[in-house]
Amino acid sequence: MGAGGRMSDPPTAKKTETEALRRAPHEKPPFTIGDLKKAIPAHCFEKSLITSFRYLIQDLLMAYALYFVATNYIDQYLPHPINYLGWAAYIAVQGCVLTGAWVVGHECDHDAFSDYGWVNDLVGLIVHSSLMVPYFSWKISHRRHHANTQSLENDEVYVPRFKSNIRNYYKILNNPPGRVLVWVTTLLIGFPLYLMFNVSGHKYERWTSHYDPHSPLYTERERKQIIVSDLAILAVIYGLYNLVLAKGFVWVFCVYGGPLLVVNGWFTLITILNHTHPSVPYYDSTEWDWLRGALCTVDRDYGILNKVFHNVCNAHVCHHIFSMIPHYHGLEATEAMKPVLGDYYQYDGTPILKAMYREMKECIYVEKDEGETKGVYWYRKDI
């Protein structure tokens, strides 16, 4: 029971795959954002600077421990070519740990890290820039995504296609090998392509990039912040350049570049799967409202990685409704909201690899149901 009075017990059984694929309710919900807030214990909205730093320092210490072990023991104690497996393991594990640090940095985007705006921006700038993400640029566009989730006209990223926009190469790639190729390409370079060239983002009338202070993504008042983000990224690139001169490209790739690719891959996968699902609709301007859009996110289960990723995957619905709630309260807030949300709460426990392939196969474009006049669109797969 939260602050809003007596409620029925939250459901304990996880949805089956068939239940998870059942269409989510798309009508205006019978509850308000106020009802949801009342259901959540008040302490879930409290931010602790000490707790937030504890999680960040914990991730950084773990990352340093992995770095220390890798650089001091892999090549020294593992014979060639077994040492390649050691580096592959390091890259995979370090990428997961740094994804957790990314998530804590992402709290700064929403002022969920602390009650101090300057602390949020300073920590966010350092963490994001270290992982080659322009902090203020990303913060602005990401908040716009939160403000327009599932809006066909205004959502900022992962804007779905219409059947009329499907290009011929989609038909060529609409088979098992093609889907695997698309996924691998998306996970490796999807996020950098979005930041640099707005690939999969909201379409603007002219060229758009997160690195361009004069991009249509930003207002005149925000342009100085974009320059600060760019300078921070350039400082990191300069540092990496000098590190390559000192240690060599292979060393820098193994220690930093490889894990960074893993971070980008996990971040891309997480955001796609939390926002792409056969059960959730998109809305045009005649039907969209903020709450219905925020409810069209899906919580996923990544097993032990839920903890490593600070529950950004399995408390994502809560994050979209109350983005100011810190990650360490996300699960408690989610459980408190479930009785109010009812069928509007979307969870899919399908194994991630299976879900990746299924969503690539099932969610190709959106259109209305036949004969439907309302501005509600669902994913389709027939091309």
Side-chain angles (χ1 to χ4, degrees), residues 350-368:
T350 302
I352 295 305
L353 288 176
K354 182 178 180 181
M356 288 169 60
Y357 185 82
R358 184 191 66 199
E359 266 57 299
M360 182 64 69
K361 179 181 178 181
E362 302 285 334
C363 304
I364 298 179
Y365 65 95
V366 295
E367 71 175 6
K368 297 180 183 179

Side-chain angles (χ1 to χ4, degrees), residues 165-353:
N165 295 334
I166 297 294
R167 298 179 180 177
N168 288 332
Y169 63 80
Y170 277 98
K171 298 178 181 179
I172 298 173
L173 295 173
N174 191 28
N175 53 67
R179 294 183 196 115
V180 172
L181 176 62
V182 171
W183 261 119
V184 170
T185 304
T186 300
L187 296 182
L188 284 176
I189 61 175
F191 189 43
L193 287 179
Y194 168 65
L195 292 175
M196 288 188 286
F197 305 113
N198 198 40
V199 174
S200 83
H202 178 82
K203 303 305 178 188
Y204 292 92
E205 293 182 356
R206 63 183 180 86
W207 184 76
T208 304
S209 171
H210 279 71
Y211 300 98
D212 178 10
H214 296 281
S215 167
L217 284 165
Y218 314 118
T219 65
E220 190 67 37
R221 187 179 60 182
E222 295 166 338
R223 304 205 191 285
K224 291 181 180 178
Q225 293 179 314
I226 311 309
I227 294 173
V228 171
S229 296
D230 290 348
L231 291 174
I233 294 294
L234 288 173
V236 173
I237 292 174
Y238 180 72
L240 290 172
Y241 169 75
N242 283 283
L243 201 55
V244 168
L245 294 179
K247 294 284 191 176
F249 175 81
V250 173
W251 188 93
V252 173
F253 176 82
C254 289
V255 169
Y256 175 82
L260 183 63
L261 288 177
V262 175
V263 173
N264 288 340
W266 276 122
F267 175 75
T268 303
L269 177 63
I270 289 167
T271 51
I272 289 177
L273 291 186
N274 280 135
H275 292 283
T276 306
H277 196 276
S279 72
V280 296
Y282 274 81
Y283 303 99
D284 67 21
S285 58
T286 64
E287 286 289 320
W288 183 86
D289 63 67
W290 181 86
L291 181 56
R292 276 199 285 178
L295 291 170
C296 291
T297 54
V298 182
D299 283 352
R300 302 275 191 169
D301 185 6
Y302 285 70
I304 192 173
L305 290 177
N306 287 334
K307 192 171 185 66
V308 178
F309 297 160
H310 303 303
N311 301 308
V312 72
C313 315
N314 56 331
H316 202 75
V317 175
C318 172
H319 173 64
H320 261 266
I321 299 173
F322 297 109
S323 59
M324 75 293 294
I325 290 181
H327 67 85
Y328 41 85
H329 293 315
L331 289 182
E332 182 181 0
T334 296
E335 290 301 317
M337 287 195 301
K338 279 184 183 180
V340 181
L341 292 171
D343 289 339
Y344 283 84
Y345 173 69
Q346 297 302 303
Y347 169 88
D348 191 346
T350 302
I352 295 305
L353 288 176

Side-chain angles (χ1 to χ4, degrees), residues 1 3-4 7 38 72 79 81 99 106 121 130 132 164 198 248 257 269 301 310 315 326 336 343 373:
M1 185 175 74
M7 297 177 184
K38 289 178 183 177
N72 286 278
T99 300
H106 161 253
D121 284 342
S130 299
M132 299 301 291
S164 59
N198 198 40
L269 177 63
D301 185 6
H310 303 303
D343 289 339
T373 58

